[in-house]
Amino acid sequence: MKSALLIIVCCISAACRANNIQVTNVLLASQDITENYYMVQFDLSWENSWRTSTYESNWDAAWVFIKFTPKDIQDWQHATLHYVDGTNDGHVAPPNCVIRTANNTYGITTNGVGVFIYRESDGIGDISFEGIQLRWDYGTLDDDQPVEISVNAVEMVYIPEGAFYAGDGTGDDGEFEAGNSGNPFQITSENSLTLGGTNVNNLSNNDAVGQVVGDDYDYSTTQSLPAGFPKGYQAIYCMKYEASQAQYGEFLMRLTPSQRSARTEVIPAYPIETGNHYAVPDYPWRAMDYANWADMAAYLDWAGLRPMSELEYEKICRGPNDAVPGEYAWGNDSWYVLNLYTLSNEGTADEEIIFGIGTGVGNANSTSPIQGWNGPLRCGIFAASATNKTREETGATYYGVMEMSGNCYERIISTGSEFSRDFDGLHGDGFITGTGSASITLLLDWAVESAVGVGFRNALVSQRDLINLADANREAWYGIRGVRTAPN
């Protein structure tokens, strides 16, 4: 006789303090020993949520996934969530709550990796969902096996399907253009593109002038960008903030000692102190830095996310608007970069700028000490500190993603290398290798651990000077941010 609900030890992990996302009251509400599933119940809340059907026509959401381990063993695995068609998956949503399961397909097996949870109707302000239940198909796990579970939540922003412009018309640093016209290039589908050349129907690059490492295409040499490469037209979800030290610490705590050792470094400036059974961030609510490409790939694989392409970066920043020459993520060329920032509650969850915040201009944390601070600040600090809470003053993108200019460098997939153009948007499946790396399949799809084909964006939306800089090191300004293609 199989027993029903037996033991539950619940570990709760939240994401980033920026909008105070919280997962609370986790429990296993029920068990079906015939079909081998648990209903995992929890409450979910975060601040400054929104959904709008005008202008941006988008919403913010929580990406929620579950990890589990047999009790006292510390062998954390990714939980498979029930998936049928993404909309009727056996989960239980409270009022005004949408749950959309996102699945990965490997071979003939379809697995629910996580869910997006968001408002059902338009609204703005703090949001709280009580009594959410997700169906966890635990499969061959012993029905009587005591388990610990961890419910993880990451704030995301929905980026709707639609056309946008790549390049801003300034012709600097290998930026995108239509042929050799100097005009921005409009992306209108996910179809394949010709890279380089001078035809206005080609996505070209100012003849690769100004790049530290040049593209392998220019006015005289063309390449093909396959249909599978994410071009930014399709709908995706993007992490609202860079991954925080707390988020990366939660990841490290779910790894074996050997995996954890591979994903950290023992240097004085490293932001997280680790050991066999702990990972203690110096400043949990600040953006994670000193992350190399292998760290980012492993974290995104573990979380069921993926890197973004450089075209997706421009779409997330600019939206459907016309390109503005020299623009930053907040939509114009005005950055209050020469002003000094004075912090209060430095290094805490309530870190805020009390002096130096610009009004009527863009705000961002420079990657140099000219603003009084040499390092990343708290995720979402400008939204919390801005006087008028405008897109410009908070440093937000068109769709409400934060810190896409400034703070940590955004590490993204380049169009300019044969090693990256086969990137087709494959998502992480929640599992990494025993040595702490993203899985072999994902490494082939996401370039390689040497970071060839992976570059950086940071300040100007269309600037491509570092897009092919294959730096596999851990540096002070290298952070983590991921996306996921929206469920159909």
Side-chain angles (χ1 to χ4, degrees):
M1 177 73 178
K2 292 184 178 180
S3 63
L5 192 61
L6 188 63
I7 12 63
I8 306 55
V9 179
C10 297
C11 298
I12 304 168
S13 57
C16 181
R17 175 59 165 75
N19 274 342
N20 201 22
I21 193 167
Q22 294 187 26
V23 178
T24 56
N25 300 322
V26 179
L27 57 89
L28 298 183
S30 61
Q31 180 184 20
D32 187 311
I33 59 176
T34 301
E35 296 191 28
N36 296 332
Y37 69 82
Y38 282 118
M39 297 301 294
V40 179
Q41 180 170 309
F42 56 92
D43 300 336
L44 175 68
S45 63
W46 68 94
E47 299 170 358
N48 304 318
S49 170
W50 78 86
R51 179 166 184 163
T52 175
S53 55
T54 58
Y55 300 106
E56 300 88 355
S57 297
N58 79 326
W59 55 83
D60 67 345
W63 170 245
V64 177
F65 55 96
I66 298 174
K67 302 288 181 177
F68 72 95
T69 182
K71 189 176 183 297
D72 298 328
I73 293 180
Q74 295 297 297
D75 180 23
W76 289 91
Q77 303 294 321
H78 196 87
T80 296
L81 301 181
H82 193 62
Y83 179 87
V84 178
D85 61 10
T87 58
N88 183 22
D89 297 325
H91 310 309
V92 178
N96 193 32
C97 174
V98 176
I99 301 175
R100 288 295 308 275
T101 312
N103 73 302
N104 283 357
T105 301
Y106 297 96
I108 61 173
T109 303
T110 300
N111 296 324
V113 176
V115 298
F116 290 106
I117 299 177
Y118 51 92
R119 293 171 178 264
E120 186 174 35
S121 57
D122 285 3
I124 188 169
D126 300 350
I127 194 74
S128 179
F129 299 124
E130 297 182 356
I132 295 170
Q133 291 189 8
L134 302 183
R135 176 173 162 172
W136 165 29
D137 292 338
Y138 60 80
T140 59
L141 184 70
D142 190 336
D143 291 313
D144 297 336
Q145 173 68 59
V147 293
E148 298 179 51
I149 61 174
S150 172
V151 179
N152 302 263
V154 180
E155 286 182 76
M156 308 288 284
V157 174
Y158 178 70
I159 314 298
E161 179 181 280
F164 69 100
Y165 288 99
D168 66 13
T170 60
D172 297 328
D173 301 321
E175 74 167 38
F176 291 127
E177 60 179 332
N180 64 350
S181 69
N183 297 321
F185 183 93
Q186 188 174 35
I187 301 290
T188 59
S189 75
E190 291 289 338
N191 294 336
S192 62
L193 291 170
T194 298
L195 301 172
T198 59
N199 189 301
V200 294
N201 295 314
N202 296 359
L203 179 64
S204 202
N205 61 354
N206 191 38
D207 213 20
V209 173
Q211 294 181 315
V212 174
V213 178
D215 296 322
D216 64 359
Y217 60 91
D218 53 27
Y219 288 164
S220 61
T221 303
T222 62
Q223 303 288 351
S224 178
L225 189 64
F229 187 95
K231 298 172 188 65
Y233 181 82
Q234 66 185 342
I236 63 172
Y237 283 88
C238 178
M239 288 175 61
K240 187 185 292 184
Y241 311 100
E242 295 150 330
S244 68
Q245 292 182 26
Q247 283 176 293
Y248 196 75
E250 286 287 337
F251 161 64
L252 295 175
M253 285 293 292
R254 304 292 177 256
L255 304 184
T256 66
S258 61
Q259 289 174 323
R260 190 178 307 122
S261 176
R263 297 281 62 85
T264 57
E265 187 168 348
V266 182
I267 55 175
Y270 196 76
I272 300 179
E273 181 183 358
T274 61
N276 285 344
H277 301 292
Y278 64 87
V280 181
D282 292 339
Y283 303 106
W285 315 117
R286 285 182 176 165
M288 178 65 190
D289 53 351
Y290 285 97
N292 64 19
W293 167 243
D295 297 336
M296 176 170 160
Y299 175 80
L300 296 183
D301 188 5
W302 178 85
L305 301 173
R306 65 165 174 86
M308 74 178 78
S309 75
E310 59 170 322
L311 289 168
E312 288 176 313
Y313 173 85
E314 295 206 28
K315 164 71 173 291
I316 294 165
C317 291
R318 183 173 289 127
N321 288 348
D322 290 339
V324 175
E327 70 183 306
Y328 297 98
W330 48 85
N332 62 36
D333 64 355
S334 176
W335 181 356
Y336 209 37
V337 71
L338 297 181
N339 208 53
L340 299 180
Y341 291 138
T342 301
L343 303 180
S344 67
N345 303 311
E346 187 175 311
T348 72
D350 298 311
E351 183 175 83
E352 191 172 354
I353 298 169
I354 57 172
F355 177 78
I357 195 80
T359 56
V361 293
N363 287 287
N365 180 28
S366 172
T367 54
S368 70
I370 61 175
Q371 289 174 290
W373 192 255
N374 188 20
L377 297 176
R378 177 172 75 83
C379 300
I381 191 170
F382 296 99
S385 306
T387 302
N388 299 307
K389 309 300 182 186
T390 63
R391 172 188 171 189
E392 188 176 22
E393 290 185 20
T394 61
T397 73
Y398 178 86
Y399 294 107
V401 177
M402 308 304 298
E403 283 94 58
M404 289 285 267
S405 290
N407 226 24
C408 289
Y409 278 43
E410 304 291 336
R411 195 188 292 261
I412 53 183
I413 306 295
S414 170
T415 63
S417 169
E418 63 178 326
F419 296 102
S420 55
R421 283 192 292 271
D422 63 349
F423 174 57
D424 63 3
L426 185 66
H427 300 110
D429 62 357
F431 298 90
I432 63 175
T433 68
T435 57
S437 297
S439 71
I440 298 300
T441 300
L442 294 177
L443 283 174
L444 291 174
D445 186 70
W446 294 357
V448 294
E449 288 205 23
S450 64
V452 175
V454 183
F456 300 95
R457 296 287 190 100
N458 175 253
L460 296 170
V461 171
S462 295
Q463 189 172 24
R464 301 184 65 243
D465 57 333
L466 302 178
I467 194 58
N468 299 305
L469 182 62
D471 189 346
N473 297 320
R474 293 185 175 98
E475 301 292 350
W477 291 99
Y478 293 178
I480 296 172
R481 192 192 307 256
V483 301
R484 188 174 175 102
T485 307
N488 293 326

